[in-house]
Amino acid sequence: MRNIYLRKIPTNVDYNLPIISFSKQPEDVTIGSGTTANFVGVATVQYRNATSSGSGSFTYQWYDFQTSAPVVAGSGVTIAGAATTEFSITGLVNPTNDGNKYFLRATFVPTYTGQGGTPNADPTYVDSTAAVVTINPFMTFVQQPTTST
């Protein structure tokens, strides 16, 4: 019996898709209330085989772990480098922001020609581990008046 309904359709699978990972994960920081917290994360890319050439570019974005939303300034908080490997946030106060967590998403867009000459430009991303901010309370010490007897 002859199969008249199923046709052979050629398929190309590119086994040289990039593997991205973090070579430097963001680390937890402890700061004083109102000071600056700095985070660094760096991603790298590796191709699965050497028969295809590969190149591409990374984009980075820092996220608030609790909301999974990109970090934004506001409520007395300023940020720098939210779309880079080095992120700083100033104005966090205890207890409001104590324990906040942030993570970095690294997206890699390949611009290579894989096996069989098929271009592949699908972006791939990876998320870092979350880094925690511990904020020490702000204290002011004042000299106590002395009493004379």
Side-chain angles (χ1 to χ4, degrees):
M1 177 174 187
R2 185 173 171 209
N3 183 350
I4 59 173
Y5 299 105
L6 298 175
R7 294 183 294 178
K8 292 181 182 178
I9 300 172
T11 334
N12 293 324
V13 177
D14 189 348
Y15 292 104
N16 195 36
L17 293 175
I19 301 169
I20 58 174
S21 60
F22 277 89
S23 58
K24 174 146 183 53
Q25 292 279 354
E27 297 178 4
D28 296 347
V29 296
T30 300
I31 61 169
S33 191
T35 61
T36 301
N38 297 303
F39 301 97
V40 176
V42 179
T44 58
V45 65
Q46 177 181 352
Y47 288 89
R48 296 176 198 263
N49 67 48
T51 61
S52 297
S53 61
S55 65
S57 61
F58 275 104
T59 59
Y60 293 95
Q61 180 63 55
W62 288 90
Y63 287 83
D64 181 303
F65 182 80
Q66 288 80 355
T67 64
S68 294
V71 293
V72 292
S75 301
V77 173
T78 58
I79 60 170
T84 68
T85 58
E86 297 181 26
F87 165 62
S88 63
I89 185 163
T90 305
L92 299 175
V93 294
N94 186 325
T96 306
N97 306 113
D98 187 45
N100 283 6
K101 297 178 184 179
Y102 302 95
F103 70 93
L104 178 61
R105 175 166 290 166
T107 303
F108 183 75
V109 180
T111 55
Y112 70 93
T113 301
Q115 293 179 357
T118 307
N120 184 339
D122 293 334
T124 304
Y125 72 88
V126 65
D127 292 339
S128 72
T129 57
V132 180
V133 176
T134 301
I135 304 170
N136 292 328
F138 179 76
M139 293 194 246
T140 305
F141 294 96
V142 219
Q143 183 178 358
Q144 295 292 322
T146 57
T147 57
S148 58
T149 55

